[in-house]
Amino acid sequence: MTDYGEEQKNELEALEAIYPDSFTVLSESPASFTITVTSEAGENDETVQATFKFTYVQKYPDEPPLYEIFSQENLEDRDIAEILTLIQQQIKQSMVMIFTLVTAVQEKLNEIVDQIKNRWEEEKKRKEKEAEEAEKVVFHGTPVNIENFLSWKAKFELEMFELKRKSQKEEEQSGKCKLTGKQLFERDHDLDTSDIKFLEEAGNNVEVDESLFQDMDDLELEDDDDPDFNPANLDSEDD
C-alpha cells in the first residue's frame, strides 16, 4: 500500500534542496508551496520569470497536483497560455513529479527569452511603419471633397462665432465695448426720436452761436428770386 504522505514529505525535502532560493512553503495540510522559475539571461541580460503554486492532492503522485501561476514577470498572455498547455501535456503523458514539471517550464522560459529579441525587432519595425504612415498623412493631408469641406466650414464658422461672442462679452464686462451706431439703435429704439424730443423740450430756448456763421451781407449771393435770373448767363459771362 502506497504511503502518499511519506512520498510527499520526501519530495518536499528534495524540492527545498534543489530550489533553496525559490521554494516557499505556504501550508502543511494540505501541503502547498510555491516555486519561482527564472529563465537564463538573454542577449541583453533580459529574463522572464514565473512563480507556480502547487498543492498536493491526497493521492499524489498517483494523481496530479493542483497548480496555478502565482505571479510572473515579462511574460505575455500568449506565453502564459503556452506554459499552462505544456504542463497539461506533461501530466497527460504519464505520472509526473513536480520536479519534472518545473524542469519543462524552465526549458520553455529559456525559449521565450530567446524570442524576446525577435519580438522587440518586430515591434520596432511596426512602430517605424506606423510613424511613416502618420508622416505620409501629415505631408499629403486629407483629400478635400464637398462633405469634409462643408463640415470644416461649419465647424470653423461656429468657432469664430463663439470667439466673437466671448470677446464682446469680455469687452462689455470691462466697460471697453464701443458699439457702432447701428448696434446702439438696435439696442435702444428711443434713440430714433431722441433729437425730436430734445427740440420739443427746448422749445424757443435753443441758443445758436452766430459767430459760427459769416456776415451774410459780405457774401455776394445771386438773387434766386429775381424773375430775370438765368443760370445760363453765368457761363456766357465767363467766356
Side-chain angles (χ1 to χ4, degrees):
M1 182 177 179
T2 304
D3 188 348
Y4 296 111
E6 186 66 23
E7 289 193 17
Q8 294 172 10
K9 179 181 178 182
N10 293 336
E11 185 181 50
L12 284 173
E13 292 176 354
L15 292 173
E16 188 173 9
I18 297 171
Y19 308 105
D21 298 328
S22 59
F23 178 86
T24 303
V25 176
L26 299 178
S27 65
E28 295 182 356
S29 181
S32 180
F33 53 91
T34 61
I35 297 178
T36 300
V37 187
T38 305
S39 71
E40 297 176 355
E43 184 175 338
N44 297 316
D45 294 330
E46 66 274 10
T47 60
V48 292
Q49 179 177 287
T51 298
F52 291 85
K53 176 183 177 182
F54 294 100
T55 302
Y56 287 148
V57 295
Q58 185 177 0
K59 293 184 178 181
Y60 175 85
D62 288 344
E63 294 180 2
L66 302 177
Y67 62 90
E68 64 178 282
I69 295 181
F70 198 68
S71 63
Q72 60 85 17
E73 292 183 8
N74 302 325
L75 291 174
E76 298 181 3
D77 290 343
R78 57 179 174 177
D79 298 327
I80 295 174
E82 290 177 0
I83 291 171
L84 293 176
T85 300
L86 173 65
I87 294 176
Q88 292 173 359
Q89 292 173 347
Q90 292 288 323
I91 291 174
K92 288 180 180 179
Q93 289 176 2
S94 60
M95 182 182 68
V96 178
M97 305 296 286
I98 289 178
F99 173 77
T100 305
L101 297 178
V102 173
T103 301
V105 171
Q106 179 76 61
E107 294 176 356
K108 183 62 178 178
L109 293 182
N110 290 339
E111 292 178 9
I112 293 173
V113 81
D114 289 338
Q115 297 171 0
I116 288 180
K117 180 180 179 181
N118 294 332
R119 292 179 184 178
W120 285 352
E121 291 179 351
E122 292 175 358
E123 181 68 12
K124 181 180 179 182
K125 290 179 181 179
R126 184 185 65 80
K127 290 183 178 181
E128 289 177 349
K129 185 176 180 180
E130 290 180 353
E132 290 177 359
E133 294 297 329
E135 186 176 354
K136 288 180 181 179
V137 172
V138 173
F139 179 77
H140 294 291
T142 303
V144 178
N145 54 41
I146 295 177
E147 292 181 358
N148 59 30
F149 172 75
L150 292 177
S151 176
W152 169 85
K153 183 173 181 293
K155 183 178 179 181
F156 175 77
E157 290 177 345
L158 179 61
E159 290 177 353
M160 295 303 296
F161 173 78
E162 291 295 333
L163 288 174
K164 182 178 180 181
R165 187 171 65 86
K166 182 179 179 181
S167 177
Q168 289 180 346
K169 185 176 181 180
E170 291 176 351
E171 290 180 353
E172 290 176 358
Q173 292 177 348
S174 62
K176 297 181 179 179
C177 181
K178 296 182 179 180
L179 301 178
T180 63
K182 181 180 179 181
Q183 291 174 324
L184 287 171
F185 277 103
E186 289 176 347
R187 293 195 173 195
D188 187 359
H189 294 288
D190 291 339
L191 294 176
D192 297 347
T193 58
S194 60
D195 290 344
I196 296 175
K197 290 181 178 180
F198 172 75
L199 293 175
E200 290 177 349
E201 293 174 357
N204 296 326
N205 296 325
V206 177
E207 295 182 0
V208 178
D209 187 355
E210 296 181 358
S211 64
L212 298 176
F213 301 92
Q214 297 184 24
D215 190 350
M216 299 298 292
D217 295 336
D218 295 337
L219 297 178
E220 295 181 0
L221 300 176
E222 296 292 342
D223 188 2
D224 293 343
D225 295 333
D226 186 352
D228 296 328
F229 174 74
N230 187 354
N233 295 335
L234 296 176
D235 296 335
S236 61
E237 290 177 359
D238 292 340
D239 294 339

